[in-house]
Amino acid sequence: MLSNARAALNSALETLKRVIGVDSQARISITDNFDTEYMALDRQALTDELLSRQPALKALETSIGAAQDMIWQKRAEYFPELSAFSTWNNKGSSTKSDIRSENLHDYGVIGLKVTMPIFEGGRRIEAVQQAKLDKSRAELNLKKLTKDLLLELDSAVVVYNEYVNTLHS
């Protein structure tokens, strides 16, 4: 562990020399004091921040809402479609284009059209089932990503605490 830390320090110093343009044989020493007090990490606060701000989690939550909307849309295909129409026309034998002419007769048509799906070979049932599966998949992806992120957070907190403990000893 200590040899890995020394190797990492030497690598960082060599990189620093290249970045600032110093000869590779030049000696660099760190003169700034390091903090002696390290803040304790509040895991619950970090978890709350992670769950409330992680963009991937927000995107998956939005996709779950969209999947629920798709289920409702697919279920709506079971309902009859109702539409209304109307027209108003003039008909007559006059050569005048004035609609107030006595030779023109007004007539109108008003109606309702109802389209009722009867049988479509199970297409609607399959569409609803597919929408439910898509929502379930999105929910599982959200759970998996949440667990993965929390595991990464726990790992980072443990590593941080180990580094702090090595600095104190």
Side-chain angles (χ1 to χ4, degrees), residues 39-48 153 157:
M39 65 178 217
L41 296 178
D42 181 9
R43 187 194 180 284
Q44 188 59 45
L46 291 172
T47 301
D48 293 343
L153 177 66
V157 168

Side-chain angles (χ1 to χ4, degrees), residues 14 18 41 57-58 65 75-76 85 97 103 108 110 127 159 165:
E14 289 300 318
R18 265 187 265 129
L41 296 178
L57 294 177
K58 294 287 185 193
R75 283 183 180 161
F85 60 91
S97 60
N103 293 330
I110 298 175
V159 168
N165 288 338

